[in-house]
Amino acid sequence: MSRATWSSSRVPAPRQDEEQRLRELGYQPVLARRMGGFGNFAISFSVISVLSGCMTLYGFGMTTGGPAVMLWGWAGVGLLVLCVGLALAEVTSAYPTSGALYYMADRLGGRRWGWYTGWLNLLGLLGAIAGIDYGAALFTGAFLNLRFGFEPTPGKTFLIFLCILLAHALLNLCNVRLVSLLNSVSVWWHLAGVAVIVGALAAVPDHHQSIGDVLARYENGTGWDNPLYVTALGLLLAQYTFSGYDASAHLSEETSHASVTAARGIVRAVWASWIAGFVLLAGLTFAIQDYAGTLATDTGVPPAQIMIDAVGESGAAALLLIVIVAQLFCGNAETAAASRMVFAFSRDNALPGSALWRRVSSRTQVPVPAVWLSVGLAALTALPSLYSATAYTAVTAINVIGITPAYAIPILLRLRAGDRFRPGPWNLGRWSRPIGWTAVAWVAFVTVLFCLPQASPVTVRSMNYASLALAAVLALATVWWFVARRSYSTPRADGSDREQAEGTEGVG
């Protein structure tokens, strides 16, 4: 997307003073605006991370419809998610703030809409950190198993996971320039990584799956008999991977010309990931040597077994390192996005202890307490993985059902607002309504779908706890509403509601 608007006008949108625009939206600038357009795109591309989502849930995809659902599901889900991204980008252009989704909902629908959108967004972001970093821990365990005979037990994997969380917290305590640099490197690492992995899997093995097996083979290891239900479950792989692109919006207060570049960042991240992910999934699937053996791998990670069978242990170890580094980039970017959400929500007094979580370091201009809270809550989110083999899939579902509805609410409210919505310089013009309604319908479908059980029979160990997590967060949000509703508020668009200077409280 090379233009700032999809409207019929060919006159370029004027560049506006983003600091002044932020003041007009009611917030005093306190974060450093040191990120460019490529860096803003890079953070969403890094969070989507096809080398994280596609790899960590590949084994799940092998049992929920198999290759046919993975490949065709990726193509279809990617197109629908692009509609969501386009519609969300339009609203982001009008409201470029760190609060992003909940601020949009508040402005377009009122305080309660903003309140529940914020809590859903927060649930999704924390689930994303947990899912990404736990996936990186799984792959790290597989690498250590391959090279050193390390046994990746749940306890050891969780310890690796905590170390990764700590590393991401420390990196995010530095100024946003480092985060932007790492995300820029991440883009090229991902693109080169996909090319190297697919190239090796195409060139080295003597045997490959047929086109028919890759595009039409259906596999069901869920215990459910209904193929439509199983196919729908298989869409989780794509939908989980295609999440987190709101990171561009959350970093908009730290991005130059954010009214255009943050919107572009969202859309470009989705379509670039759509192409790269399809190539990666196809490359992995063509290279499967033994389907049953891949699922039963001792490494605990089916893509690792595909690599071992295709290129040998030494080659597989090198390819796994590419994946692990990409996943670490992804988790670091997600930690940045989540911490900005915590900061913004606390700035509007929505969280318990908001006075602490909204503090910004006077030295680095980073919301330090928000970073620590984000990784701490992510660690708690993944705790059930110590006791349940299906907990990781539930964590990914928590991410999807938390963050995806939060995408749709501002879009729905923008559609409901009609001509009362004042579009920003990047907008969809006459395509706004058809794309918006397509996005809302898709989100409604996947939200229901990913609350449903994923394995049969349903037991305490195999239950999908994502629906319980969603219910718990909505209950907490409702209870806390009655406690905090007098103090919670976003400022009016002219900034007259209240002074935002408390957001500048220093922590070092």
PDB file of all heavy atoms in Angstrom, residues 122 338-347 349-361 366-374 376-377 502-503 505 507:
ATOM      1  N   LEU A 122      -6.066  -6.117  26.698  1.00  0.00           N
ATOM      2  CA  LEU A 122      -5.025  -6.467  27.662  1.00  0.00           C
ATOM      3  C   LEU A 122      -4.910  -7.978  27.822  1.00  0.00           C
ATOM      4  O   LEU A 122      -3.799  -8.535  27.857  1.00  0.00           O
ATOM      5  CB  LEU A 122      -5.330  -5.812  29.012  1.00  0.00           C
ATOM      6  CG  LEU A 122      -4.257  -5.956  30.096  1.00  0.00           C
ATOM      7  CD1 LEU A 122      -2.940  -5.358  29.636  1.00  0.00           C
ATOM      8  CD2 LEU A 122      -4.724  -5.309  31.397  1.00  0.00           C
ATOM      9  N   ALA A 338       2.512  -4.614  24.613  1.00  0.00           N
ATOM     10  CA  ALA A 338       1.698  -4.831  25.812  1.00  0.00           C
ATOM     11  C   ALA A 338       2.004  -3.793  26.882  1.00  0.00           C
ATOM     12  O   ALA A 338       1.094  -3.292  27.565  1.00  0.00           O
ATOM     13  CB  ALA A 338       1.943  -6.242  26.358  1.00  0.00           C
ATOM     14  N   SER A 339       3.274  -3.458  27.045  1.00  0.00           N
ATOM     15  CA  SER A 339       3.633  -2.480  28.077  1.00  0.00           C
ATOM     16  C   SER A 339       3.048  -1.108  27.760  1.00  0.00           C
ATOM     17  O   SER A 339       2.657  -0.369  28.668  1.00  0.00           O
ATOM     18  CB  SER A 339       5.149  -2.399  28.231  1.00  0.00           C
ATOM     19  OG  SER A 339       5.767  -1.917  27.059  1.00  0.00           O
ATOM     20  N   ARG A 340       2.964  -0.760  26.486  1.00  0.00           N
ATOM     21  CA  ARG A 340       2.351   0.529  26.120  1.00  0.00           C
ATOM     22  C   ARG A 340       0.853   0.515  26.376  1.00  0.00           C
ATOM     23  O   ARG A 340       0.260   1.529  26.738  1.00  0.00           O
ATOM     24  CB  ARG A 340       2.637   0.856  24.660  1.00  0.00           C
ATOM     25  CG  ARG A 340       3.924   1.616  24.404  1.00  0.00           C
ATOM     26  CD  ARG A 340       5.111   1.062  25.126  1.00  0.00           C
ATOM     27  NE  ARG A 340       6.364   1.694  24.734  1.00  0.00           N
ATOM     28  CZ  ARG A 340       7.550   1.194  25.037  1.00  0.00           C
ATOM     29  NH1 ARG A 340       7.650   0.059  25.729  1.00  0.00           N
ATOM     30  NH2 ARG A 340       8.644   1.837  24.683  1.00  0.00           N
ATOM     31  N   MET A 341       0.241  -0.641  26.192  1.00  0.00           N
ATOM     32  CA  MET A 341      -1.181  -0.756  26.513  1.00  0.00           C
ATOM     33  C   MET A 341      -1.399  -0.594  28.012  1.00  0.00           C
ATOM     34  O   MET A 341      -2.321   0.110  28.460  1.00  0.00           O
ATOM     35  CB  MET A 341      -1.698  -2.118  26.027  1.00  0.00           C
ATOM     36  CG  MET A 341      -3.098  -2.483  26.513  1.00  0.00           C
ATOM     37  SD  MET A 341      -4.340  -1.301  25.978  1.00  0.00           S
ATOM     38  CE  MET A 341      -5.695  -1.758  27.078  1.00  0.00           C
ATOM     39  N   VAL A 342      -0.565  -1.242  28.815  1.00  0.00           N
ATOM     40  CA  VAL A 342      -0.665  -1.109  30.272  1.00  0.00           C
ATOM     41  C   VAL A 342      -0.462   0.347  30.676  1.00  0.00           C
ATOM     42  O   VAL A 342      -1.205   0.892  31.515  1.00  0.00           O
ATOM     43  CB  VAL A 342       0.372  -2.014  30.973  1.00  0.00           C
ATOM     44  CG1 VAL A 342       0.440  -1.706  32.469  1.00  0.00           C
ATOM     45  CG2 VAL A 342       0.029  -3.484  30.753  1.00  0.00           C
ATOM     46  N   PHE A 343       0.552   0.984  30.101  1.00  0.00           N
ATOM     47  CA  PHE A 343       0.816   2.393  30.398  1.00  0.00           C
ATOM     48  C   PHE A 343      -0.398   3.264  30.072  1.00  0.00           C
ATOM     49  O   PHE A 343      -0.844   4.082  30.877  1.00  0.00           O
ATOM     50  CB  PHE A 343       2.031   2.871  29.592  1.00  0.00           C
ATOM     51  CG  PHE A 343       2.094   4.359  29.400  1.00  0.00           C
ATOM     52  CD1 PHE A 343       2.477   5.193  30.439  1.00  0.00           C
ATOM     53  CD2 PHE A 343       1.761   4.937  28.169  1.00  0.00           C
ATOM     54  CE1 PHE A 343       2.526   6.572  30.259  1.00  0.00           C
ATOM     55  CE2 PHE A 343       1.805   6.310  27.989  1.00  0.00           C
ATOM     56  CZ  PHE A 343       2.196   7.126  29.037  1.00  0.00           C
ATOM     57  N   ALA A 344      -0.950   3.103  28.873  1.00  0.00           N
ATOM     58  CA  ALA A 344      -2.060   3.953  28.443  1.00  0.00           C
ATOM     59  C   ALA A 344      -3.313   3.708  29.285  1.00  0.00           C
ATOM     60  O   ALA A 344      -4.009   4.648  29.674  1.00  0.00           O
ATOM     61  CB  ALA A 344      -2.358   3.700  26.966  1.00  0.00           C
ATOM     62  N   PHE A 345      -3.605   2.427  29.570  1.00  0.00           N
ATOM     63  CA  PHE A 345      -4.793   2.101  30.355  1.00  0.00           C
ATOM     64  C   PHE A 345      -4.657   2.661  31.773  1.00  0.00           C
ATOM     65  O   PHE A 345      -5.638   3.132  32.359  1.00  0.00           O
ATOM     66  CB  PHE A 345      -4.962   0.584  30.389  1.00  0.00           C
ATOM     67  CG  PHE A 345      -6.390   0.117  30.333  1.00  0.00           C
ATOM     68  CD1 PHE A 345      -7.390   0.885  29.780  1.00  0.00           C
ATOM     69  CD2 PHE A 345      -6.742  -1.138  30.840  1.00  0.00           C
ATOM     70  CE1 PHE A 345      -8.705   0.441  29.725  1.00  0.00           C
ATOM     71  CE2 PHE A 345      -8.045  -1.590  30.791  1.00  0.00           C
ATOM     72  CZ  PHE A 345      -9.030  -0.802  30.234  1.00  0.00           C
ATOM     73  N   SER A 346      -3.440   2.621  32.309  1.00  0.00           N
ATOM     74  CA  SER A 346      -3.205   3.172  33.640  1.00  0.00           C
ATOM     75  C   SER A 346      -3.257   4.697  33.622  1.00  0.00           C
ATOM     76  O   SER A 346      -3.685   5.323  34.594  1.00  0.00           O
ATOM     77  CB  SER A 346      -1.845   2.712  34.169  1.00  0.00           C
ATOM     78  OG  SER A 346      -1.788   1.316  34.259  1.00  0.00           O
ATOM     79  N   ARG A 347      -2.812   5.288  32.520  1.00  0.00           N
ATOM     80  CA  ARG A 347      -2.876   6.740  32.380  1.00  0.00           C
ATOM     81  C   ARG A 347      -4.305   7.235  32.534  1.00  0.00           C
ATOM     82  O   ARG A 347      -4.556   8.351  33.016  1.00  0.00           O
ATOM     83  CB  ARG A 347      -2.303   7.127  31.016  1.00  0.00           C
ATOM     84  CG  ARG A 347      -2.305   8.593  30.694  1.00  0.00           C
ATOM     85  CD  ARG A 347      -1.553   8.881  29.401  1.00  0.00           C
ATOM     86  NE  ARG A 347      -2.116   8.188  28.243  1.00  0.00           N
ATOM     87  CZ  ARG A 347      -1.596   8.264  27.013  1.00  0.00           C
ATOM     88  NH1 ARG A 347      -0.513   8.982  26.796  1.00  0.00           N
ATOM     89  NH2 ARG A 347      -2.167   7.618  26.009  1.00  0.00           N
ATOM     90  N   ASN A 349      -6.458   5.626  34.452  1.00  0.00           N
ATOM     91  CA  ASN A 349      -6.908   5.103  35.752  1.00  0.00           C
ATOM     92  C   ASN A 349      -7.810   3.880  35.645  1.00  0.00           C
ATOM     93  O   ASN A 349      -8.767   3.736  36.397  1.00  0.00           O
ATOM     94  CB  ASN A 349      -7.623   6.206  36.549  1.00  0.00           C
ATOM     95  CG  ASN A 349      -6.703   7.354  36.900  1.00  0.00           C
ATOM     96  OD1 ASN A 349      -5.619   7.149  37.443  1.00  0.00           O
ATOM     97  ND2 ASN A 349      -7.115   8.567  36.559  1.00  0.00           N
ATOM     98  N   ALA A 350      -7.506   2.972  34.727  1.00  0.00           N
ATOM     99  CA  ALA A 350      -8.356   1.803  34.518  1.00  0.00           C
ATOM    100  C   ALA A 350      -7.872   0.561  35.246  1.00  0.00           C
ATOM    101  O   ALA A 350      -8.642  -0.396  35.386  1.00  0.00           O
ATOM    102  CB  ALA A 350      -8.470   1.498  33.026  1.00  0.00           C
ATOM    103  N   LEU A 351      -6.621   0.525  35.700  1.00  0.00           N
ATOM    104  CA  LEU A 351      -6.075  -0.675  36.324  1.00  0.00           C
ATOM    105  C   LEU A 351      -5.872  -0.471  37.816  1.00  0.00           C
ATOM    106  O   LEU A 351      -5.597   0.650  38.261  1.00  0.00           O
ATOM    107  CB  LEU A 351      -4.723  -1.048  35.692  1.00  0.00           C
ATOM    108  CG  LEU A 351      -4.726  -1.449  34.226  1.00  0.00           C
ATOM    109  CD1 LEU A 351      -3.303  -1.743  33.765  1.00  0.00           C
ATOM    110  CD2 LEU A 351      -5.604  -2.664  34.009  1.00  0.00           C
ATOM    111  N   PRO A 352      -5.978  -1.542  38.598  1.00  0.00           N
ATOM    112  CA  PRO A 352      -5.584  -1.436  40.005  1.00  0.00           C
ATOM    113  C   PRO A 352      -4.120  -0.996  40.092  1.00  0.00           C
ATOM    114  O   PRO A 352      -3.261  -1.520  39.389  1.00  0.00           O
ATOM    115  CB  PRO A 352      -5.764  -2.870  40.527  1.00  0.00           C
ATOM    116  CG  PRO A 352      -6.734  -3.512  39.583  1.00  0.00           C
ATOM    117  CD  PRO A 352      -6.472  -2.893  38.242  1.00  0.00           C
ATOM    118  N   GLY A 353      -3.835  -0.014  40.932  1.00  0.00           N
ATOM    119  CA  GLY A 353      -2.469   0.478  41.053  1.00  0.00           C
ATOM    120  C   GLY A 353      -2.031   1.339  39.885  1.00  0.00           C
ATOM    121  O   GLY A 353      -0.836   1.415  39.579  1.00  0.00           O
ATOM    122  N   SER A 354      -2.976   2.008  39.217  1.00  0.00           N
ATOM    123  CA  SER A 354      -2.652   2.784  38.018  1.00  0.00           C
ATOM    124  C   SER A 354      -1.556   3.817  38.252  1.00  0.00           C
ATOM    125  O   SER A 354      -0.738   4.084  37.369  1.00  0.00           O
ATOM    126  CB  SER A 354      -3.906   3.494  37.499  1.00  0.00           C
ATOM    127  OG  SER A 354      -4.781   2.585  36.880  1.00  0.00           O
ATOM    128  N   ALA A 355      -1.509   4.408  39.445  1.00  0.00           N
ATOM    129  CA  ALA A 355      -0.516   5.443  39.722  1.00  0.00           C
ATOM    130  C   ALA A 355       0.908   4.915  39.560  1.00  0.00           C
ATOM    131  O   ALA A 355       1.827   5.671  39.212  1.00  0.00           O
ATOM    132  CB  ALA A 355      -0.710   5.991  41.131  1.00  0.00           C
ATOM    133  N   LEU A 356       1.104   3.615  39.815  1.00  0.00           N
ATOM    134  CA  LEU A 356       2.422   3.008  39.636  1.00  0.00           C
ATOM    135  C   LEU A 356       2.677   2.649  38.183  1.00  0.00           C
ATOM    136  O   LEU A 356       3.721   2.976  37.612  1.00  0.00           O
ATOM    137  CB  LEU A 356       2.546   1.760  40.510  1.00  0.00           C
ATOM    138  CG  LEU A 356       3.799   0.895  40.280  1.00  0.00           C
ATOM    139  CD1 LEU A 356       5.070   1.692  40.578  1.00  0.00           C
ATOM    140  CD2 LEU A 356       3.728  -0.372  41.142  1.00  0.00           C
ATOM    141  N   TRP A 357       1.694   1.980  37.555  1.00  0.00           N
ATOM    142  CA  TRP A 357       1.928   1.417  36.209  1.00  0.00           C
ATOM    143  C   TRP A 357       2.052   2.471  35.129  1.00  0.00           C
ATOM    144  O   TRP A 357       2.598   2.206  34.061  1.00  0.00           O
ATOM    145  CB  TRP A 357       0.814   0.430  35.853  1.00  0.00           C
ATOM    146  CG  TRP A 357       0.504  -0.566  36.921  1.00  0.00           C
ATOM    147  CD1 TRP A 357      -0.704  -0.800  37.496  1.00  0.00           C
ATOM    148  CD2 TRP A 357       1.424  -1.469  37.550  1.00  0.00           C
ATOM    149  NE1 TRP A 357      -0.598  -1.770  38.448  1.00  0.00           N
ATOM    150  CE2 TRP A 357       0.694  -2.207  38.506  1.00  0.00           C
ATOM    151  CE3 TRP A 357       2.792  -1.713  37.410  1.00  0.00           C
ATOM    152  CZ2 TRP A 357       1.290  -3.173  39.302  1.00  0.00           C
ATOM    153  CZ3 TRP A 357       3.394  -2.674  38.216  1.00  0.00           C
ATOM    154  CH2 TRP A 357       2.644  -3.395  39.147  1.00  0.00           C
ATOM    155  N   ARG A 358       1.576   3.699  35.369  1.00  0.00           N
ATOM    156  CA  ARG A 358       1.676   4.732  34.339  1.00  0.00           C
ATOM    157  C   ARG A 358       2.978   5.535  34.412  1.00  0.00           C
ATOM    158  O   ARG A 358       3.217   6.421  33.602  1.00  0.00           O
ATOM    159  CB  ARG A 358       0.489   5.693  34.430  1.00  0.00           C
ATOM    160  CG  ARG A 358       0.447   6.531  35.693  1.00  0.00           C
ATOM    161  CD  ARG A 358      -0.645   7.602  35.577  1.00  0.00           C
ATOM    162  NE  ARG A 358      -0.826   8.307  36.835  1.00  0.00           N
ATOM    163  CZ  ARG A 358      -1.923   8.208  37.587  1.00  0.00           C
ATOM    164  NH1 ARG A 358      -2.914   7.423  37.207  1.00  0.00           N
ATOM    165  NH2 ARG A 358      -2.035   8.889  38.707  1.00  0.00           N
ATOM    166  N   ARG A 359       3.825   5.218  35.375  1.00  0.00           N
ATOM    167  CA  ARG A 359       5.060   5.982  35.522  1.00  0.00           C
ATOM    168  C   ARG A 359       6.018   5.741  34.362  1.00  0.00           C
ATOM    169  O   ARG A 359       6.139   4.629  33.868  1.00  0.00           O
ATOM    170  CB  ARG A 359       5.749   5.628  36.843  1.00  0.00           C
ATOM    171  CG  ARG A 359       4.975   6.105  38.063  1.00  0.00           C
ATOM    172  CD  ARG A 359       5.770   5.898  39.319  1.00  0.00           C
ATOM    173  NE  ARG A 359       5.075   6.437  40.480  1.00  0.00           N
ATOM    174  CZ  ARG A 359       5.582   6.494  41.699  1.00  0.00           C
ATOM    175  NH1 ARG A 359       6.809   6.027  41.920  1.00  0.00           N
ATOM    176  NH2 ARG A 359       4.899   7.007  42.701  1.00  0.00           N
ATOM    177  N   VAL A 360       6.707   6.807  33.971  1.00  0.00           N
ATOM    178  CA  VAL A 360       7.637   6.763  32.840  1.00  0.00           C
ATOM    179  C   VAL A 360       9.019   7.172  33.329  1.00  0.00           C
ATOM    180  O   VAL A 360       9.163   8.142  34.080  1.00  0.00           O
ATOM    181  CB  VAL A 360       7.169   7.707  31.710  1.00  0.00           C
ATOM    182  CG1 VAL A 360       8.199   7.771  30.583  1.00  0.00           C
ATOM    183  CG2 VAL A 360       5.820   7.260  31.183  1.00  0.00           C
ATOM    184  N   SER A 361      10.032   6.440  32.907  1.00  0.00           N
ATOM    185  CA  SER A 361      11.396   6.768  33.286  1.00  0.00           C
ATOM    186  C   SER A 361      11.797   8.116  32.685  1.00  0.00           C
ATOM    187  O   SER A 361      11.655   8.339  31.483  1.00  0.00           O
ATOM    188  CB  SER A 361      12.355   5.682  32.789  1.00  0.00           C
ATOM    189  OG  SER A 361      13.698   6.103  32.911  1.00  0.00           O
ATOM    190  N   VAL A 366      10.611   5.436  28.982  1.00  0.00           N
ATOM    191  CA  VAL A 366       9.975   4.133  28.839  1.00  0.00           C
ATOM    192  C   VAL A 366       9.115   3.876  30.077  1.00  0.00           C
ATOM    193  O   VAL A 366       9.529   4.178  31.197  1.00  0.00           O
ATOM    194  CB  VAL A 366      11.047   3.021  28.704  1.00  0.00           C
ATOM    195  CG1 VAL A 366      10.436   1.640  28.863  1.00  0.00           C
ATOM    196  CG2 VAL A 366      11.751   3.136  27.360  1.00  0.00           C
ATOM    197  N   PRO A 367       7.907   3.310  29.928  1.00  0.00           N
ATOM    198  CA  PRO A 367       7.058   2.991  31.092  1.00  0.00           C
ATOM    199  C   PRO A 367       7.561   1.733  31.809  1.00  0.00           C
ATOM    200  O   PRO A 367       7.062   0.624  31.596  1.00  0.00           O
ATOM    201  CB  PRO A 367       5.671   2.784  30.480  1.00  0.00           C
ATOM    202  CG  PRO A 367       5.951   2.331  29.087  1.00  0.00           C
ATOM    203  CD  PRO A 367       7.216   3.032  28.657  1.00  0.00           C
ATOM    204  N   VAL A 368       8.554   1.898  32.667  1.00  0.00           N
ATOM    205  CA  VAL A 368       9.265   0.772  33.278  1.00  0.00           C
ATOM    206  C   VAL A 368       8.344  -0.156  34.079  1.00  0.00           C
ATOM    207  O   VAL A 368       8.364  -1.376  33.883  1.00  0.00           O
ATOM    208  CB  VAL A 368      10.428   1.291  34.153  1.00  0.00           C
ATOM    209  CG1 VAL A 368      11.071   0.150  34.935  1.00  0.00           C
ATOM    210  CG2 VAL A 368      11.472   1.975  33.268  1.00  0.00           C
ATOM    211  N   PRO A 369       7.525   0.362  35.026  1.00  0.00           N
ATOM    212  CA  PRO A 369       6.653  -0.554  35.773  1.00  0.00           C
ATOM    213  C   PRO A 369       5.693  -1.326  34.870  1.00  0.00           C
ATOM    214  O   PRO A 369       5.382  -2.493  35.142  1.00  0.00           O
ATOM    215  CB  PRO A 369       5.888   0.381  36.725  1.00  0.00           C
ATOM    216  CG  PRO A 369       6.757   1.590  36.846  1.00  0.00           C
ATOM    217  CD  PRO A 369       7.392   1.745  35.507  1.00  0.00           C
ATOM    218  N   ALA A 370       5.240  -0.699  33.796  1.00  0.00           N
ATOM    219  CA  ALA A 370       4.324  -1.380  32.871  1.00  0.00           C
ATOM    220  C   ALA A 370       5.006  -2.559  32.191  1.00  0.00           C
ATOM    221  O   ALA A 370       4.373  -3.587  31.923  1.00  0.00           O
ATOM    222  CB  ALA A 370       3.809  -0.392  31.825  1.00  0.00           C
ATOM    223  N   VAL A 371       6.304  -2.424  31.907  1.00  0.00           N
ATOM    224  CA  VAL A 371       7.057  -3.530  31.308  1.00  0.00           C
ATOM    225  C   VAL A 371       7.095  -4.717  32.272  1.00  0.00           C
ATOM    226  O   VAL A 371       6.808  -5.864  31.887  1.00  0.00           O
ATOM    227  CB  VAL A 371       8.494  -3.084  30.958  1.00  0.00           C
ATOM    228  CG1 VAL A 371       9.343  -4.294  30.551  1.00  0.00           C
ATOM    229  CG2 VAL A 371       8.477  -2.057  29.829  1.00  0.00           C
ATOM    230  N   TRP A 372       7.422  -4.456  33.546  1.00  0.00           N
ATOM    231  CA  TRP A 372       7.511  -5.548  34.530  1.00  0.00           C
ATOM    232  C   TRP A 372       6.148  -6.196  34.774  1.00  0.00           C
ATOM    233  O   TRP A 372       6.056  -7.419  34.922  1.00  0.00           O
ATOM    234  CB  TRP A 372       8.093  -5.030  35.836  1.00  0.00           C
ATOM    235  CG  TRP A 372       9.560  -4.747  35.773  1.00  0.00           C
ATOM    236  CD1 TRP A 372      10.186  -3.540  35.897  1.00  0.00           C
ATOM    237  CD2 TRP A 372      10.608  -5.701  35.540  1.00  0.00           C
ATOM    238  NE1 TRP A 372      11.540  -3.671  35.752  1.00  0.00           N
ATOM    239  CE2 TRP A 372      11.837  -4.990  35.538  1.00  0.00           C
ATOM    240  CE3 TRP A 372      10.631  -7.081  35.329  1.00  0.00           C
ATOM    241  CZ2 TRP A 372      13.059  -5.629  35.346  1.00  0.00           C
ATOM    242  CZ3 TRP A 372      11.860  -7.704  35.126  1.00  0.00           C
ATOM    243  CH2 TRP A 372      13.053  -6.986  35.139  1.00  0.00           C
ATOM    244  N   LEU A 373       5.095  -5.383  34.803  1.00  0.00           N
ATOM    245  CA  LEU A 373       3.758  -5.958  35.004  1.00  0.00           C
ATOM    246  C   LEU A 373       3.378  -6.862  33.835  1.00  0.00           C
ATOM    247  O   LEU A 373       2.812  -7.944  34.031  1.00  0.00           O
ATOM    248  CB  LEU A 373       2.727  -4.844  35.162  1.00  0.00           C
ATOM    249  CG  LEU A 373       1.285  -5.327  35.395  1.00  0.00           C
ATOM    250  CD1 LEU A 373       1.165  -6.062  36.732  1.00  0.00           C
ATOM    251  CD2 LEU A 373       0.302  -4.152  35.359  1.00  0.00           C
ATOM    252  N   SER A 374       3.705  -6.452  32.634  1.00  0.00           N
ATOM    253  CA  SER A 374       3.348  -7.230  31.446  1.00  0.00           C
ATOM    254  C   SER A 374       3.992  -8.613  31.465  1.00  0.00           C
ATOM    255  O   SER A 374       3.324  -9.627  31.237  1.00  0.00           O
ATOM    256  CB  SER A 374       3.768  -6.470  30.179  1.00  0.00           C
ATOM    257  OG  SER A 374       3.093  -5.234  30.079  1.00  0.00           O
ATOM    258  N   GLY A 376       5.267 -10.147  34.078  1.00  0.00           N
ATOM    259  CA  GLY A 376       4.829 -10.893  35.262  1.00  0.00           C
ATOM    260  C   GLY A 376       3.488 -11.568  35.052  1.00  0.00           C
ATOM    261  O   GLY A 376       3.305 -12.751  35.399  1.00  0.00           O
ATOM    262  N   LEU A 377       2.535 -10.848  34.484  1.00  0.00           N
ATOM    263  CA  LEU A 377       1.220 -11.437  34.238  1.00  0.00           C
ATOM    264  C   LEU A 377       1.283 -12.501  33.143  1.00  0.00           C
ATOM    265  O   LEU A 377       0.541 -13.485  33.180  1.00  0.00           O
ATOM    266  CB  LEU A 377       0.221 -10.341  33.862  1.00  0.00           C
ATOM    267  CG  LEU A 377      -0.145  -9.368  34.987  1.00  0.00           C
ATOM    268  CD1 LEU A 377      -1.087  -8.281  34.485  1.00  0.00           C
ATOM    269  CD2 LEU A 377      -0.779 -10.104  36.177  1.00  0.00           C
ATOM    270  N   GLU A 502       0.165  13.871  35.105  1.00  0.00           N
ATOM    271  CA  GLU A 502       0.575  12.806  36.019  1.00  0.00           C
ATOM    272  C   GLU A 502       1.251  11.657  35.305  1.00  0.00           C
ATOM    273  O   GLU A 502       1.954  10.859  35.897  1.00  0.00           O
ATOM    274  CB  GLU A 502      -0.634  12.270  36.808  1.00  0.00           C
ATOM    275  CG  GLU A 502      -1.665  11.519  35.997  1.00  0.00           C
ATOM    276  CD  GLU A 502      -2.782  12.393  35.514  1.00  0.00           C
ATOM    277  OE1 GLU A 502      -2.587  13.630  35.467  1.00  0.00           O
ATOM    278  OE2 GLU A 502      -3.873  11.878  35.205  1.00  0.00           O
ATOM    279  N   GLY A 503       1.044  11.558  33.983  1.00  0.00           N
ATOM    280  CA  GLY A 503       1.692  10.509  33.223  1.00  0.00           C
ATOM    281  C   GLY A 503       3.200  10.676  33.144  1.00  0.00           C
ATOM    282  O   GLY A 503       3.903   9.780  32.739  1.00  0.00           O
ATOM    283  N   GLU A 505       5.217  11.152  35.735  1.00  0.00           N
ATOM    284  CA  GLU A 505       5.892  10.797  36.969  1.00  0.00           C
ATOM    285  C   GLU A 505       7.114   9.959  36.678  1.00  0.00           C
ATOM    286  O   GLU A 505       7.051   8.986  35.953  1.00  0.00           O
ATOM    287  CB  GLU A 505       4.946  10.018  37.899  1.00  0.00           C
ATOM    288  CG  GLU A 505       3.728  10.825  38.320  1.00  0.00           C
ATOM    289  CD  GLU A 505       2.725   9.967  39.059  1.00  0.00           C
ATOM    290  OE1 GLU A 505       3.085   8.858  39.461  1.00  0.00           O
ATOM    291  OE2 GLU A 505       1.595  10.403  39.237  1.00  0.00           O
ATOM    292  N   VAL A 507      10.462   7.471  37.254  1.00  0.00           N
ATOM    293  CA  VAL A 507      10.858   6.287  38.024  1.00  0.00           C
ATOM    294  C   VAL A 507      12.374   6.122  37.965  1.00  0.00           C
ATOM    295  O   VAL A 507      12.896   5.103  38.390  1.00  0.00           O
ATOM    296  CB  VAL A 507      10.184   5.012  37.466  1.00  0.00           C
ATOM    297  CG1 VAL A 507       8.709   5.080  37.658  1.00  0.00           C
ATOM    298  CG2 VAL A 507      10.540   4.790  36.004  1.00  0.00           C
TER     299      VAL A 507
END
